[in-house]
């Protein structure tokens, strides 16, 4: 099979993603296709998709949303859900400005969940997107995420190295780094982490 990392998307791609996410998450916690298209129209640097070229469909996705300091604090204290962010409150990146990142979602089509190359490509796309934004004079101060499932929590703790901050009444765990220094250190060593992951599973090693 042949796969491709994609940063430019069509409506059908977002429909594919919605169907992928509903196999893992509660429907009430998933942003609608209409909502994510509005996000995309406001800020086209928030979605990373992997496409199965032969079947011409999206089989994996990551969504990362920029937050203000107020939004970041609201999120890690369980006062803001990503689905509550709309086209008016979603931030658009501007040069020479600082943001917090919300690792909003990662999901892989269940048919492909044993294809470790898809996770590898998603994480490469994620890393390259942050690097691209940094090269365009955008600074990231911290990153946060919510782990709804045990697998999601394990991913956040291992791949993202985020620290558990609080737990919602639904049992979801909220995470962030301790500081910008921790974010920067993680980002610096992340390529080595992914190289070791790829070699472990014989992916372009």
């Amino acid at each position: 099979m042949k796969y491709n990392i994609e940063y430019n998307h069509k409506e059908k791609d977002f429909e594919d993603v919605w169907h992928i996410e509903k196999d893992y998450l509660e429907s009430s916690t998933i942003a609608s296709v209409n909502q994510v298209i509005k996000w995309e129209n406001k800020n086209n640097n928030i979605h990373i998709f992997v496409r199965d070229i032969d079947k011409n469909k999206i089989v994996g996705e990551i969504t990362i949303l920029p937050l203000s300091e107020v939004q970041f604090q609201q999120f890690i204290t369980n006062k803001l859900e990503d689905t509550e962010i709309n086209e008016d409150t979603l931030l658009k990146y501007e040069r020479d400005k600082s943001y917090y990142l919300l690792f909003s979602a990662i999901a892989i089509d269940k048919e492909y969940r044993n294809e470790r190359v898809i996770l590898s490509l998603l994480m490469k796309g994620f890393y390259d997107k942050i690097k691209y934004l940094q090269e365009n004079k955008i600074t990231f101060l911290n990153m946060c995420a919510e782990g709804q499932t045990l697998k999601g929590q394990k991913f956040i703790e291992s791949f993202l190295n985020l620290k558990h901050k609080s737990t919602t009444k639904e049992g979801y765990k909220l995470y962030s780094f301790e500081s910008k220094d921790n974010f920067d250190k993680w980002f610096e060593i992340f390529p080595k982490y992914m190289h070791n992951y790829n070699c472990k599973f014989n992916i372009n090693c």
Side-chain angles (χ1 to χ4, degrees):
M1 293 183 180
K2 294 182 179 180
Y3 303 108
N4 192 44
I5 303 170
E6 295 187 356
Y7 302 100
N8 299 308
H9 319 297
K10 300 176 181 178
E11 182 174 348
K12 171 64 167 56
D13 300 336
F14 293 109
E15 292 171 356
D16 289 344
V17 166
W18 189 88
H19 286 287
I20 292 171
E21 289 189 349
K22 77 178 180 64
D23 285 334
Y24 295 94
L25 306 173
E26 294 290 336
S27 297
S28 62
T29 67
I30 304 173
S32 69
V33 172
N34 183 56
Q35 182 175 1
V36 294
I37 289 175
K38 288 180 178 179
W39 284 351
E40 178 78 4
N41 289 337
K42 175 75 173 287
N43 184 337
N44 63 0
N45 283 299
I46 62 176
H47 295 111
I48 300 103
F49 293 167
V50 169
R51 181 183 300 277
D52 179 333
I53 297 173
D54 295 332
K55 294 187 177 180
N56 192 29
K57 70 173 185 176
I58 301 302
V59 297
E61 66 94 13
I62 285 176
T63 301
I64 48 173
L65 304 177
L67 301 179
S68 67
E69 183 176 5
V70 170
Q71 289 174 321
F72 172 77
Q73 293 297 334
Q74 288 175 330
F75 182 84
I76 62 174
T77 55
N78 197 30
K79 296 176 182 175
L80 176 69
E81 296 282 344
D82 55 358
T83 53
E84 296 174 331
I85 298 172
N86 58 36
E87 65 271 25
D88 295 322
T89 55
L90 176 68
L91 301 180
K92 188 172 182 178
Y93 290 118
E94 296 180 42
R95 291 174 66 91
D96 299 314
K97 290 198 173 182
S98 300
Y99 302 87
Y100 296 78
L101 272 180
L102 168 55
F103 194 101
S104 176
I106 180 170
I108 295 173
D109 189 315
K110 283 195 170 183
E111 181 183 343
Y112 296 77
R113 61 184 171 185
N114 293 323
E115 296 285 335
R116 295 185 183 274
V117 65
I118 295 176
L119 177 58
S120 176
L121 289 171
L122 283 172
M123 298 311 290
K124 180 182 186 307
F126 167 61
Y127 175 85
D128 288 348
K129 175 58 72 174
I130 295 177
K131 191 172 182 64
Y132 163 79
L133 291 168
Q134 290 177 331
E135 289 171 349
N136 281 273
K137 307 301 182 183
I138 291 164
T139 300
F140 294 107
L141 301 174
N142 206 326
M143 182 165 66
C144 56
E146 178 182 79
Q148 294 186 19
T149 66
L150 290 176
K151 286 186 177 180
Q153 293 162 11
K154 183 178 179 181
F155 168 82
I156 291 168
E157 293 166 7
S158 57
F159 279 85
L160 303 183
N161 200 31
L162 296 176
K163 306 305 178 186
H164 178 216
K165 292 297 182 179
S166 61
T167 302
T168 72
K169 63 182 180 180
E170 297 85 4
Y172 305 155
K173 290 187 176 182
L174 302 176
Y175 298 84
S176 74
F177 286 112
E178 297 291 345
S179 66
K180 181 181 184 302
D181 285 345
N182 293 127
F183 174 90
D184 291 340
K185 289 175 183 176
W186 164 80
F187 192 72
E188 182 179 354
I189 66 173
F190 188 71
K192 183 177 180 180
Y193 180 93
M194 286 309 303
H195 173 76
N196 292 339
Y197 175 88
N198 290 339
C199 289
K200 180 178 179 180
F201 297 105
N202 298 313
I203 304 170
N204 298 324
C205 182

